[in-house]
Amino acid sequence: MAVTPEATPLLINLGLALRSKELAGGVYVISGHTDITGPAAYNLELSQERAQSVKRFLVEKFHIDPTTLIAVGYGSEILKNPGNPAGGENRRVAVAALPTR
């Protein structure tokens, strides 16, 4: 799965931020999500592919250590907008820092 042209500027900003001295070395979860359209197994695979695409982009373009990026697909389990489960806003990738000790 390829990163869309719309997502590229956001991922460039993310890559630059992750390489900054404030964030470098942290561990991050890249969460892929889908809407409820389609079979659950397909959505789970699609969400994993979305997360992996973002991870691959960050590793290839910004040389982020792949061991610091955990790509996880959630399918349609965590909807951004439960009131519109088929809405486009549910098809997304989110990135969160894991706590450090």
Side-chain angles (χ1 to χ4, degrees), residues 10-97:
L10 296 170
L11 292 179
I12 289 170
N13 286 337
L14 176 60
L16 292 171
L18 293 178
R19 288 190 52 181
S20 71
K21 70 176 175 178
E22 293 84 12
L23 299 179
V27 177
Y28 302 90
V29 176
I30 302 169
S31 308
H33 303 274
T34 67
D35 62 22
I36 63 161
T37 306
Y42 171 79
N43 284 339
L44 188 59
E45 184 178 326
L46 178 61
S47 65
Q48 183 66 39
E49 288 177 17
R50 284 186 176 140
Q52 286 291 354
S53 293
V54 169
K55 178 178 178 173
R56 188 170 39 257
F57 181 92
L58 295 170
V59 169
E60 290 175 2
K61 304 289 185 198
F62 292 93
H63 308 287
I64 306 293
D65 179 354
T67 65
T68 66
L69 302 173
I70 303 166
V72 181
Y74 290 98
S76 60
E77 290 179 30
I78 306 171
L79 297 173
K80 185 173 186 177
N81 184 356
N84 184 12
E89 63 275 15
N90 294 309
R91 298 183 295 267
R92 69 198 189 281
V93 173
V95 179

